[in-house]
Amino acid sequence: MAERPYIVGNWKMNGTRAMLSEARAIDRAAQRYMKVEVAVAPPYTLIHAVHKEAEQIGVGAQDCHAGPEGAHTGDINAPMVADAGAKFVILGHSERRQDHAETNDCINAKIESAIDAGLRVILCCGETLETRDAGKAEEFVLGQLKAALPKFEDPAERLTVAYEPIWAIGTGRTATADDIAAMHGAIRQLLVDTYGEEASAMVRILYGGSVKPENAREILATPEVGGALVGGASLSAESFLGIVVGASESDES
Ligand code: 13P
């Protein structure tokens, strides 16, 4: 990995205040691996508490509403998560696309609102097994990104892309290194075409889908993999830190 690896835990709909001890343990241990950028995205209810605990790690949200404050019962917008202490937001996750029928246009609007609120964005993309088996994975993923990528000129500090094949999420199944390298290479080319060589060079492309301490080193050593977006294995400090260690070692190789 050329750039500083970025390891992000997505806690999804997990975690009560009892999980703060895990966040604290992750934060303290991350201070020993300064070459790795470590972050967690807890549920909304824990953002502020994790932010108060965190000295080293970044804290983010898993979604935000695209609009300004107003009559939207149950919704939380980008300025609100920023106020709670979030520095980034995950947008376009396949679980949001499936559970809440989020379209690429809606995700694009959320990205614009997040950037306006000063948040960094992790934009997720990924295909179903059906789409992969039909030989259309690359076309599908690039289509998702083309429709959702914001049009700003300087993406370096603000944008991260996460490739998460849906069939690899929570299934224990990971894509092969060749599949990951091919998809990340295609995404890199799209970023170059969209933002230019220099501006896009700093945009990291994370891999997500059953990343664990046992497979992290190999995945993170794959060309164009700039880090990992981790679900299940981020829920315990021990397994999440195993991935952080893997990232620090693959950075040395
Ligand atoms: P798992 O690591 O549990 O497969 O989840 C991946 C993911 O969806 C992270 O956003």
Side-chain angles (χ1 to χ4, degrees), residues 3 92 97 121-127 132 136-150 155 159-166 175 177-197 199-208 222-227 229:
E3 63 289 81
R97 294 179 192 256
V121 169
I122 299 178
L123 169 59
C124 301
C125 56
E127 80 287 357
R132 173 153 289 270
K136 298 206 160 116
E138 196 174 301
E139 182 190 327
F140 180 82
V141 165
L142 296 186
Q144 281 185 321
L145 291 176
K146 276 182 201 154
L149 279 174
L159 182 69
T160 301
V161 173
Y163 169 56
E164 301 200 306
I166 294 171
D178 284 351
D179 288 341
I180 298 172
M183 186 63 84
H184 281 227
I187 294 171
R188 173 62 62 201
Q189 190 55 51
L190 177 67
L191 292 172
V192 170
D193 294 346
T194 307
Y195 299 116
E197 190 102 31
S200 63
M202 298 296 287
V203 178
R204 288 171 293 198
I205 307 169
L206 313 183
Y207 173 79
T222 304
E224 288 298 352
V225 174
L229 185 54

Side-chain angles (χ1 to χ4, degrees), residues 65-76:
H65 190 281
E69 60 187 20
H72 298 288
T73 302
D75 279 319
I76 309 245

Side-chain angles (χ1 to χ4, degrees), residues 10 12 93 95 164 168-171 208-211 229-233:
N10 174 8
K12 307 191 178 184
H93 194 283
E95 288 152 14
E164 301 200 306
I169 295 177
T171 58
S210 297
V211 178
L229 185 54
V230 185

